[in-house]
Amino acid sequence: MSDYEVTQLGGFDDWREHYGGFRPETSREGRRVVDHELTMQYIGMTANVFEPGEEAGYWHSHAKVEELYVFLTGRGQMGLDDDVVDVGPGSAIRVGQGVWRTWRALPDSPEPMRWFCIRAGGEQLPHLPDDATRDPDRPSPW
């Protein structure tokens, strides 16, 4: 058996219906902790949605985890230490260890702000992955 799993996040309109978090006291509507559903070893991911005007309401930082925020819809802002960065569809923000962060959807966002937060830890990745093997002779399955 191959080592892969599949889950369906559903359409954007379904994201708000999910209630999740890492602990009961930090759970909320519009957060789905995908790595609690799939057997992930080295990365984690949440799928998130805020309605216009909604905000995290807290700051946090990580000592060991690096995060990548990928914004898909809506308009918002991230607080990153002493800076405020505007975000929208296509924004990708890497946040390193020790950086304080918070985020919000702008009150006048034309639609809910949806984003992925991808978390990783462990060893530093090489600039060019060196563990891939190619098979140019293997035919495509379709």
Side-chain angles (χ1 to χ4, degrees), residues 19-60:
Y19 183 87
F22 299 99
R23 293 181 297 277
E25 64 272 15
T26 62
S27 295
R28 64 170 173 78
E29 289 182 18
R31 177 185 283 156
R32 184 170 183 173
V33 183
V34 178
D35 50 290
H36 288 182
E37 300 172 29
L38 299 173
T39 308
M40 298 169 78
Q41 300 176 59
Y42 305 108
I43 59 172
M45 186 181 91
T46 58
N48 305 273
V49 61
F50 274 176
E51 295 296 330
E54 190 174 3
E55 61 181 73
Y58 63 89
W59 288 81
H60 80 281

Side-chain angles (χ1 to χ4, degrees), residues 115-132:
W115 73 96
F116 292 130
C117 176
I118 302 163
R119 303 177 318 281
E123 296 183 20
Q124 189 173 28
L125 296 174
H127 183 69
L128 296 173
D130 59 2
D131 66 339

Side-chain angles (χ1 to χ4, degrees), residues 67-72 78 80 85-95 115-116 118:
E67 292 181 324
L68 175 65
Y69 292 80
V70 181
F71 293 88
L72 306 171
M78 283 193 75
L80 299 162
V85 176
D86 292 326
V87 296
S91 298
I93 299 179
R94 177 212 160 258
V95 185
W115 73 96
F116 292 130
I118 302 163

Side-chain angles (χ1 to χ4, degrees), residues 127-142:
H127 183 69
L128 296 173
D130 59 2
D131 66 339
T133 303
R134 289 188 179 206
D135 184 354
D137 298 322
R138 185 174 180 165
S140 295
W142 41 84

Side-chain angles (χ1 to χ4, degrees), residues 78-123:
M78 283 193 75
L80 299 162
D81 283 338
D82 295 328
D83 297 323
V84 175
V85 176
D86 292 326
V87 296
S91 298
I93 299 179
R94 177 212 160 258
V95 185
Q97 297 87 349
V99 175
W100 288 94
R101 67 210 76 181
T102 191
W103 51 95
R104 73 174 186 146
L106 292 173
D108 62 349
S109 179
E111 59 187 322
M113 185 174 78
R114 294 176 181 91
W115 73 96
F116 292 130
C117 176
I118 302 163
R119 303 177 318 281
E123 296 183 20

